[in-house]
Every structure is written in C-alpha cells, then in structure tokens.
Amino acid sequence: TQLLEQSPQFLSIQEGENLTVYCNSSSVFSSLQWYRQEPGEGPVLLVTVVTGGEVKKLKRLTFQFGDARKDSSLHITAAQPGDTGLYLCARGGGNKLTFGTGTQLKVEL
Amino acid sequence: KAGVTQTPRYLIKTRGQQVTLSCSPISGHRSVSWYQQTPGQGLQFLFEYFSETQRNKGNFPGRFSGRQFSNSRSEMNVSTLELGDSALYLCASSLGAPGMNTEAFFGQGTRLTVV
C-alpha cells in the first residue's frame, strides 16, 4: 500500500493566522487531489495538481505539488472559522482514490 | 442537479446482523464507489462499480459486498457485523469509466453503529 502521510494530524489556530498542511509519499504519483470534509458531509474536491512544481491558488488557499511529485502542500492565508474541517490529500483518479491520513483543522474566533 | 444520495443517514445494528446501504449517484454518472471512514484507519476504498460490474476492490473481507443496478444505483452489504464495522460509509459517483480522472462527488454518508 502506498501511504500518503499528512502532517500535522491536528491543528487549532486563531482566526487570521496562516497555516500549512503537508502531504508526503515515498512514491511518485501522477496527480494529487486535495479535499475538504466538513462534519456530517462527504469530502469535496478543492483542487487537482498534476505537474511537478505546479502551484494553484483558490482564493486564500495555495496548493503546491513538489518537483519530484512525491509531496504536496496546502497553505491557507488568514484562516477563517469557515475553513474548519478535515483536509485530505488523495491520489488516484475517478472513483478509486487512496486518501491521506488527514489533517483536522479548527479555526477559532 | 441533485447530488449523491445515500440512505439511510444513520443506522444502529447488533453484532452478527447484516446491513444494506443504498446510494443513488448523480444523474448520468455511471461509476459508483464505496469508502469506509473510521477515526483509526481514515478513509479507505471498498469497491468500485461501473456498468453493473465490480471493477476494483479494496482490501476488505468478503463480508463486504456490493452491487450496481442498471440505473447506476448501488447497494453495499455487510454481513455478520462486527463492532469494528462501525464507521461512516461514503458513496461517490463520477461521470467517467474506471481509470479516467473525472471528479468524484461524495454523498453525505451513512453512519453505521454496531452494538
């Protein structure tokens, strides 16, 4: 099994702070996806990165795919309570996904 | 358009019983997958169906099974329930065939508690 390790596992911050979540693997993957899951809901796709070194921005979220395509990061600027949730990276495509271990983020007022 | 619908939302069963969960994909989506989410193991792939055929299977015992109907609706069944089967079971549907990198849309899940 090709594991996707995420760090940190838990993160509790104040509104307005910045944070970075990491996703690492020992193997190369062709693409990587980031999801956010809110309580009582299923995961929702945020972004897909496919090219080594690629950077994608989604409002206050910045996603980066490592040059060697073995790691990825998600940076949130000026976090808001609405960013609270479980952030998951995943590899694979379509409907056969291997998910990372997850980062539980809580943003407090 | 309507999203992925899973029923029931919550379920309590006793050890040894069996359970059937249902998933209705987004209209037009022919690929349906099931995942199990637990605090200890995270989100794990169970199986994938396309055109009524199981195309991929995760590393779960034979007690876990599923099927897909001609209208793409899917069911999964767990027999001889164990306490460790308590989990959130998520269904996802996508437009493309297996292997195609089309976006997966998840339902809200069924929370199964085994007592």
Side-chain angles (χ1 to χ4, degrees), chain B residues 18-29:
Chain B
Q18 74 165 15
V19 67
T20 299
L21 312 181
S22 181
C23 172
S24 293
I26 292 172
S27 178
H29 285 193

Side-chain angles (χ1 to χ4, degrees), chain A residues 35 37 40-43 45 86 88 92-97 99, chain B residues 9 31 33 35 37 45 56 92 94 100-102 104 106-108:
Chain A
Y35 289 81
Q37 184 178 18
E41 303 290 333
L45 180 66
L86 177 66
L88 295 155
N95 262 345
K96 186 177 185 299
L97 298 166
F99 284 90
Chain B
R9 288 292 310 277
S31 181
S33 288
Y35 294 82
Q37 187 172 30
F45 171 78
N56 287 291
S94 69
M100 294 178 62
N101 286 337
T102 55
F106 285 82
Q108 291 181 299

Side-chain angles (χ1 to χ4, degrees), chain B residues 13-106:
Chain B
K13 289 286 188 178
T14 304
R15 273 181 300 174
Q17 288 186 311
Q18 74 165 15
V19 67
T20 299
L21 312 181
S22 181
C23 172
S24 293
I26 292 172
S27 178
H29 285 193
R30 296 169 60 193
S31 181
V32 173
S33 288
W34 290 88
Y35 294 82
Q36 181 196 64
Q37 187 172 30
T38 61
Q41 299 299 317
L43 226 169
Q44 294 184 290
F45 171 78
L46 277 159
F47 26 65
E48 176 185 16
Y49 287 88
F50 182 81
S51 294
E52 303 176 65
T53 303
Q54 187 180 93
R55 299 305 179 104
N56 287 291
K57 190 176 192 307
N59 189 25
F60 279 82
R63 300 185 296 108
F64 291 81
S65 63
R67 59 178 175 169
Q68 186 181 33
F69 303 96
S70 58
N71 62 357
S72 294
R73 190 178 69 86
S74 177
E75 290 180 345
M76 68 161 282
N77 183 277
V78 188
S79 62
T80 319
L81 284 166
E82 301 176 358
L83 295 178
D85 297 332
S86 295
L88 180 68
Y89 289 88
L90 290 160
C91 169
S93 76
S94 69
L95 188 59
M100 294 178 62
N101 286 337
T102 55
E103 182 178 353
F105 294 84
F106 285 82

